[in-house]
Amino acid sequence: AQSVAQPEDQVNVAEGNPLTVKCTYSVSGNPYLFWYVQYPNRGLQFLLKYITGDNLVKGSYGFEAEFNKSQTSFHLKKPSALVSDSALYFCAVRRNAGNNRKLIWGLGTSLAVNP
Amino acid sequence: NAGVTQTPKFQVLKTGQSMTLQCAQDMNHNSMYWYRQDPGMGLRLIYYSASEGTTDKGEVPNGYNVSRLNKREFSLRLESAAPSQTSVYFCASSENRRGGLMNTGELFFGEGSRLTVL
């Protein structure tokens, strides 16, 4: 079965430090992978996606993510965290071929960046 | 651009009442979606519309109906609300040549509608 795991419910980092929000997936075949961010009482906003090509994907607000096929991971990273990055982050995945291509969402990771 | 607009933002219903959540997008997108977000359960797809004139069930369609009124508007109706439908509802849209579940493009979300069923 297809699944997405965000193993950490919460991540705490100090402002200026690098941050990583983890995502691993299980899907047959090649995946499409996405990261979204949700600020309090707001809708989700797209950050970046991996469809094909370069494994390192750059997105909005200085975020990037690396697709690692062997580890089935798509971790979100940022070299220097800002307090304004504090939000809920969702990873999502779906198959790129065959049946059952629905988007599968992770449960979210709450990122807190401390001043 | 307003993007995706949802109304109402908040609603309290009694069990058995009906209501319609409205959603409109001004980005000329083909596909539209309704999700619900519940603590510990992430986002779950209720219904989607790959293109104007079509609608399909998602993961949790029971107790809901939808109408794709035109390309801009996609409404979600609760015919007889139940406490289990207490949730935050999000409408989303996307533009993609292969819409609906074939979509590889980004989803644009509304701000959400918080529904409480007593």
Side-chain angles (χ1 to χ4, degrees), chain B residues 14-77:
Chain B
K14 294 181 180 178
T15 297
Q17 287 185 318
S18 63
M19 77 158 299
T20 299
L21 299 177
Q22 307 286 354
C23 176
Q25 53 91 8
D26 61 4
M27 296 171 283
N28 202 35
H29 286 171
N30 291 321
S31 300
M32 298 185 74
Y33 311 79
W34 275 107
Y35 285 92
R36 59 178 292 175
Q37 183 179 27
D38 302 287
M41 302 193 75
L43 284 165
R44 292 183 290 170
L45 183 64
I46 305 170
Y47 270 93
Y48 68 99
S49 171
S51 61
E52 185 179 357
T54 68
T55 61
D56 286 285
K57 295 178 180 180
E59 304 170 65
V60 289
N62 291 345
Y64 305 95
N65 285 300
V66 290
S67 296
R68 184 74 183 266
L69 305 170
N70 47 55
K71 192 171 185 179
R72 290 186 64 247
E73 298 172 290
F74 188 40
S75 62
L76 179 72
R77 182 161 179 82

Side-chain angles (χ1 to χ4, degrees), chain A residues 32 34 36 38 40-46 49 51 88 90 94-96 98 101-108, chain B residues 35 37 40-45 59 88 90 96 98 100-112 114:
Chain A
Y32 292 151
F34 305 82
Y36 285 80
Q38 184 179 29
N41 299 313
R42 303 294 297 276
L44 281 72
Q45 296 178 35
F46 171 80
K49 67 181 178 184
I51 302 298
L88 190 58
F90 289 94
R94 72 165 186 82
R95 298 177 66 192
N96 71 352
R101 302 195 195 189
K102 67 178 182 180
L103 195 60
I104 306 297
W105 294 85
L107 298 184
Chain B
Y35 285 92
Q37 183 179 27
M41 302 193 75
L43 284 165
R44 292 183 290 170
L45 183 64
E59 304 170 65
V88 181
F90 288 98
N96 196 276
R98 306 172 77 189
L101 296 185
M102 307 285 280
N103 176 45
T104 60
E106 61 187 275
L107 298 177
F108 290 80
F109 284 83
E111 298 287 275
R114 295 182 176 273

Side-chain angles (χ1 to χ4, degrees), chain A residues 11-13 19 37-40 63 78 81-89 109-115:
Chain A
V11 171
N12 294 291
V13 298
L19 70 86
V37 60
Q38 184 179 29
Y39 298 102
F63 285 93
K78 187 173 182 180
L82 300 172
V83 173
S84 57
D85 293 328
S86 298
L88 190 58
Y89 291 81
T109 297
S110 179
L111 173 67
V113 181
N114 306 306

